[in-house]
Amino acid sequence: MGLEEKLPSGFLLTTVEKVAGMARKSSIFPATFGLACCAIEMMTTGAGRYDLARFGMEVFRGSPRQADLMIVAGRVSQKMAPVLRQVYDQMPNPKWVISMGVCASSGGMFNNYAIVQGVDHVVPVDIYLPGCPPRPEMLQDAILKLHEQIRTSKLGVNQQEAAREAEEAAKKALPTIEMPLSSEKKGLPR
Amino acid sequence: MTSPTHAPAGVRETTEGTVYDVTGGDWDQIAADIAQSDDERIIVNMGPQHPSTHGVLRLILEIDGETVTEARCGIGYLHTGIEKNLEFRTWTQGTTFVTRMDYVMPFFNEAAYCLAVEKLLGIEDDIPDRATLIRVLLMELNRISSHMVFTATGGMELGATTVAIFGFRDREMVLDLFELITGLRMNHAYIRPGGLSQDLPPGAVDALREFIKKMRKNLAEYQKLCVGNPVFKARLKDIGYLDLAGCMALGATGPILRSAGLPHDLRKTQPYCGYDTFDFEVPTTDTCDSFGRFLLRLEEMHQSLRIVEQCVDRLEPGPVMVADKKIAWPAQLALGPDGLGNSLDHIKKIMGTSMEALIHHFKLVTEGFRVPPGQTYAAVESPKGELGVHAVSDGGTRPYRVHFRDPSFTNLQSMAAMCEGGQVADVIVAVASIDPVMGGVDR
């Protein structure tokens, strides 16, 4: 994105990473992307009792060009999906996405012709937040987890290295359900 | 039929006829068309992702300078297919879906749907009094929370952040009660065909009395904050004008109709849920404008509080589900170690002593009850106007069709009549005064 991405790996880049991470996580500007029920809970989170201002992010920007976090709050219909993608594309890098609620995460209870079965079909998602709708506390928890992710994120060559490591780890990862070996196969085939 | 040569939207001919496309045309083409025309008009597309359009409403405004010459709505950005989904679930499961239609007034959706199902079943008179009273209680609380959202979002759109913070503060108080009573802040599915899913928890009545006291005090603050405020008045007065003739022609109901002076309220004109036994008034104004609608909603909150108080006074112990075991949900909910669950006594009975009860439980839960063939219409007075449900049964365990006449949808068509000829900034005020919730409009 900038000069920091061009720095060689080493002590200077690690310091810059820390500073950039700290700065980025401390002043996130969310774009208003309220769609349905979750949007009301999102507004509640911004209002008095839960008060997102404590985390420096009470200013919901109307323009995506001033925002770096998109909270997809609610069910994404087939008609809304292109608009959502356009708004995402208009946001400047670096940017993050929280998929708020089950409808945005997976389609939820609306497994039908009208609803996109998970907003990750349209934009990359950083945090999936379950609930229908999630409580404001849950949204805050998701936001704090995202803050931690942003704070420790890598830059430049380190970021490429981290991505490579993550891919290697994913390749080696064992399936969560242990499959029986074919020699000791018992009962019904899975 | 011939298609227009330069329609604002894309047009293509199909075997089914002309199909208009809402995605807009080629910019070069549009710019060339406008360059040729001699007027100064421009078309502004507001939304669907705009902070002031109440969710995902898209407004297509043709403006000449600062004046709106033509205004149209683009809807459907939140179409969820809920009515279709209902056709694939049992009648009881339907409440889980309808509560998510207009998510700002979940109890009205549930109540209207359940009244329709009960009409089809012919059990309107068998609903226990306590269940009906709690329904009224929750609906009136919901009316307050819905009007709070109107006040808060309306205020926010005008830039009155204090009003927004106040509105959400008081809505939280109502949501605390909902959470205490139903276990959820929103999307409750608490009202079920035949009654309620469970009784009021211990401590609910005390919490309600405490709430009434606090809310009465807080409502007075809105009076001071908004009604006397010259800026607030200047923004709202004479904006979004729609007289009685206009309301009648466009089918507007709720505060819009009452702001034109007609005291039409289904709670009075065709009472349901025993509303005729409650003492309350239907406020009206004759200003036909946004300010009148705001004042009405403020007064309605006071009246709702009165009804809530009467409900609390009248509550008497009793069942909350219809006695007919062929319809009543067999579960007796109790708090288990893992959260909500079936009561251990009930499980002991069906698993240990009565085979019939177990079969009955299984059939009712997996298959649901059958509803006699026929169709019916039930309507309730929601915070936004007449919320009607047209339910059709073919005699099965699932609805053949359920259609919702959502007041937000019908009222939204008055947007053009309210906005055309006015200023662009006043469009925001007019739309806010309609209080459309896109979840209800698009369903």
Side-chain angles (χ1 to χ4, degrees):
Chain A
M1 279 128 256
L3 190 62
E4 75 278 5
E5 299 284 338
K6 303 280 185 293
L7 284 174
S9 173
F11 142 76
L12 178 62
L13 179 57
T14 333
T15 314
V16 172
E17 260 171 12
K18 276 186 190 151
V19 174
M22 209 55 197
R24 282 176 180 173
K25 79 138 229 224
S26 306
S27 67
I28 289 185
F29 277 24
T32 53
F33 208 87
L35 294 167
C37 339
C38 290
I40 308 281
E41 288 295 71
M42 186 170 74
M43 284 195 274
T44 313
T45 318
R49 187 188 285 185
Y50 299 99
D51 200 7
L52 270 182
R54 291 179 292 162
F55 310 110
M57 48 191 293
E58 79 280 17
V59 191
F60 279 80
R61 302 312 307 189
S63 164
R65 294 185 199 283
Q66 300 164 349
D68 50 10
L69 169 65
M70 183 157 83
I71 303 176
V72 184
R75 44 212 191 212
V76 183
S77 68
Q78 304 281 1
K79 191 172 176 179
M80 197 63 193
V83 182
L84 183 127
R85 180 69 211 194
Q86 192 177 359
V87 169
Y88 178 78
D89 287 341
Q90 285 171 343
M91 284 163 54
N93 276 325
K95 53 192 170 187
W96 297 275
V97 177
I98 291 180
S99 157
M100 183 181 178
V102 277
C103 300
S105 301
S106 72
M109 66 194 292
F110 302 113
N111 184 6
N112 62 19
Y113 64 94
I115 294 296
V116 176
Q117 299 296 301
V119 74
D120 47 8
H121 288 277
V122 189
V123 291
V125 176
D126 292 281
I127 298 268
Y128 294 92
L129 171 58
C132 188
R135 301 176 60 86
E137 289 96 329
M138 290 172 73
L139 178 61
Q140 283 178 340
D141 182 53
I143 285 169
L144 290 181
K145 286 212 164 70
L146 183 70
H147 279 180
E148 193 53 27
Q149 202 174 308
I150 293 169
R151 194 179 64 79
T152 55
S153 64
K154 305 263 191 269
L155 291 175
V157 278
N158 284 5
Q159 196 259 327
Q160 287 163 13
E161 184 61 30
R164 205 172 302 128
E165 269 170 27
E167 199 180 336
E168 285 304 315
K171 274 183 195 162
K172 285 193 195 125
L174 294 167
T176 46
I177 301 169
E178 215 167 305
M179 301 294 276
L181 293 171
S182 55
S183 57
E184 50 189 65
K185 203 186 265 176
K186 279 182 213 152
L188 292 167
R190 296 198 199 186
Chain B
M1 194 183 118
T2 55
S3 59
T5 47
H6 63 283
V11 185
R12 67 198 148 86
E13 296 297 332
T14 65
T15 48
E16 305 293 316
T18 313
V19 172
Y20 293 93
D21 178 358
V22 288
T23 50
D26 180 21
W27 272 115
D28 293 337
Q29 181 64 44
I30 293 169
D33 282 353
I34 291 170
Q36 276 170 12
S37 66
D38 54 349
D39 55 5
E40 294 280 307
R41 73 189 175 94
I42 47 171
I43 293 172
V44 173
N45 187 31
M46 203 171 136
Q49 194 268 324
H50 189 279
S52 302
T53 53
H54 257 75
V56 283
L57 172 64
R58 177 182 170 200
L59 299 173
I60 303 140
L61 308 171
E62 190 182 300
I63 53 179
D64 184 11
E66 273 286 301
T67 313
V68 179
T69 51
E70 221 178 316
R72 292 289 178 270
C73 303
I75 60 168
Y77 288 94
L78 197 57
H79 177 61
T80 316
I82 294 179
E83 286 173 6
K84 195 70 192 166
N85 263 27
L86 286 177
E87 293 164 23
F88 297 90
R89 296 289 186 277
T90 64
W91 290 93
T92 306
Q93 286 172 322
T95 42
T96 322
F97 279 100
V98 297
T99 189
R100 284 164 175 81
M101 283 187 170
D102 188 335
Y103 37 82
V104 177
M105 47 173 211
F107 284 117
F108 290 91
N109 298 331
E110 292 171 25
Y113 172 78
C114 291
L115 287 177
V117 178
E118 284 155 11
K119 250 190 197 175
L120 278 175
L121 286 164
I123 56 165
E124 304 110 297
D125 300 331
D126 306 331
I127 309 300
D129 286 346
R130 188 175 168 84
T132 306
L133 261 183
I134 297 174
R135 281 180 185 185
V136 171
L137 176 95
L138 289 171
M139 278 197 278
E140 292 309 321
L141 285 174
N142 202 175
R143 193 184 306 278
I144 296 175
S145 75
S146 171
H147 284 344
M148 283 297 172
V149 172
F150 156 78
T151 318
T153 55
M156 199 148 58
E157 286 158 10
L158 294 180
T161 326
T162 318
V163 183
I165 296 285
F166 272 40
F168 276 113
R169 176 197 69 185
D170 291 340
R171 179 171 177 270
E172 279 300 309
M173 283 172 38
V174 186
L175 290 202
D176 283 347
L177 283 177
F178 287 168
E179 196 180 346
L180 178 71
I181 294 170
T182 71
L184 291 161
R185 287 163 57 87
M186 292 169 80
N187 302 343
H188 315 274
Y190 180 72
I191 301 175
R192 302 275 171 85
L196 307 169
S197 72
Q198 51 186 318
D199 203 350
L200 290 182
V205 173
D206 294 337
L208 279 163
R209 287 196 196 282
E210 184 72 14
F211 163 81
I212 295 167
K213 229 186 285 168
K214 263 198 217 158
M215 188 52 110
R216 202 148 270 159
K217 199 174 117 261
N218 286 359
L219 278 180
E221 288 180 0
Y222 292 91
Q223 205 82 23
K224 284 186 206 149
L225 187 63
C226 303
V227 178
N229 185 327
V231 180
F232 197 82
K233 252 183 181 162
R235 282 301 303 274
L236 266 67
K237 269 210 162 156
D238 299 325
I239 303 300
Y241 186 90
L242 191 68
D243 61 5
L244 189 55
C247 287
M248 296 308 245
L250 292 165
T253 46
I256 302 178
L257 182 58
R258 289 194 287 274
S259 76
L262 188 72
H264 177 76
D265 188 319
L266 293 181
R267 293 176 294 175
K268 288 278 188 202
T269 51
Q270 38 170 301
Y272 53 92
C273 288
Y275 266 111
D276 43 346
T277 59
F278 288 98
D279 181 25
F280 68 102
E281 275 143 41
V282 178
T284 56
T285 61
D286 53 2
T287 53
C288 309
D289 63 353
S290 300
F291 193 62
R293 284 168 213 142
F294 173 76
L295 290 181
L296 273 183
R297 288 189 172 105
L298 212 54
E299 183 52 34
E300 274 180 22
M301 286 195 267
H302 284 285
Q303 298 297 333
S304 291
L305 217 49
R306 271 177 75 189
I307 302 177
V308 170
E309 202 165 24
Q310 291 169 46
C311 283
V312 175
D313 289 341
R314 278 201 219 167
L315 276 180
E316 269 166 27
V320 292
M321 197 33 132
V322 70
D324 187 353
K325 289 284 177 201
K326 292 271 179 221
I327 293 163
W329 192 249
Q332 267 87 54
L333 295 175
L335 194 63
D338 56 341
L340 268 187
N342 239 325
S343 88
L344 289 175
D345 289 337
H346 180 65
I347 292 174
K348 206 187 265 173
K349 184 184 163 225
I350 60 170
M351 299 304 283
T353 60
S354 170
M355 174 70 104
E356 285 73 27
L358 178 63
I359 295 171
H360 188 74
H361 184 122
F362 181 76
K363 287 286 274 182
L364 202 50
V365 172
T366 55
E367 196 184 55
F369 52 79
R370 289 185 185 280
V371 172
Q375 58 177 331
T376 188
Y377 180 80
V380 298
E381 181 73 26
S382 82
K384 282 133 193 150
E386 177 177 343
L387 174 69
V389 178
H390 179 206
V392 187
S393 172
D394 57 359
T397 56
R398 298 176 301 184
Y400 178 77
R401 175 84 170 97
V402 178
H403 174 74
F404 269 64
R405 181 233 185 256
D406 197 279
S408 296
F409 178 70
T410 319
N411 290 350
L412 195 57
Q413 66 181 340
S414 59
M415 189 277 295
M418 285 184 191
C419 297
E420 283 176 10
Q423 305 273 293
V424 182
D426 296 339
V427 172
I428 308 289
V429 180
V431 172
S433 82
I434 299 173
D435 192 21
V437 171
M438 297 318 286
V441 175
D442 295 336
R443 298 187 290 279

